[in-house]
Amino acid sequence: QVQLVESGGGLVQAGGSLRLSCEASGGTFSKYAMAWFRQAPGKEREFVAAISWSGISTYAAGSVKGRFTISRDNVKNTVYLQMNSLKPEDTAVYYCAASRTVVSTIPQQYDYWGQGTQVTVSS
């Protein structure tokens, strides 16, 4: 059983930056593909970014490409989401997720989820 704990959320002005972290425990971190999703009030959970087991391959949603960067440290058992040039529409609860089998944009294909961290971008 893998436990995921996100941190780093908060309130930031438009154009600012935040770095989210997600620390994993209870499993072999390097055996999991990792991803970030987000969910705004009244909206479905949406894919933000994903990274392969080794970290060599990364994927990002079109809405965040060029602004957000996903990375991982398999020694620290942590995945990061660096968010730059934030916009009010980035406001959401951000979740990290782990998959034993695939790197995917589909939430249902992830096995473990964190509790989420709130990101609020003011205009």
Side-chain angles (χ1 to χ4, degrees), residues 4-123:
L4 303 173
V5 179
E6 300 99 335
S7 61
L11 173 64
V12 63
Q13 288 188 334
S17 299
L18 282 175
R19 187 196 198 200
L20 305 184
S21 300
C22 173
E23 185 172 0
S25 61
T28 302
F29 183 67
S30 60
K31 292 186 177 180
Y32 292 87
M34 301 297 296
W36 288 93
F37 290 81
R38 67 186 181 186
Q39 189 166 19
K43 295 187 177 181
E44 293 187 352
R45 192 166 296 190
E46 67 170 349
F47 170 75
V48 176
I51 189 166
S52 62
W53 297 261
S54 65
I56 291 176
S57 299
T58 62
Y59 310 86
S63 59
V64 307
K65 197 168 290 184
R67 301 188 297 123
F68 291 11
T69 302
I70 188 171
S71 62
R72 68 188 296 162
D73 186 331
N74 285 350
V75 173
K76 294 183 178 180
N77 292 346
T78 302
V79 62
Y80 304 97
L81 185 68
Q82 178 66 44
M83 305 186 294
N84 299 328
S85 302
L86 282 160
K87 304 176 181 180
E89 51 264 43
D90 295 319
T91 296
V93 177
Y94 283 71
Y95 299 89
C96 71
S99 171
R100 291 166 294 183
T101 55
V102 296
V103 182
S104 174
T105 64
I106 303 172
Q108 290 80 3
Q109 293 187 320
Y110 285 83
D111 304 298
Y112 302 102
W113 291 83
Q115 82 289 348
T117 185
Q118 176 71 47
V119 172
T120 303
V121 184
S122 63
S123 58

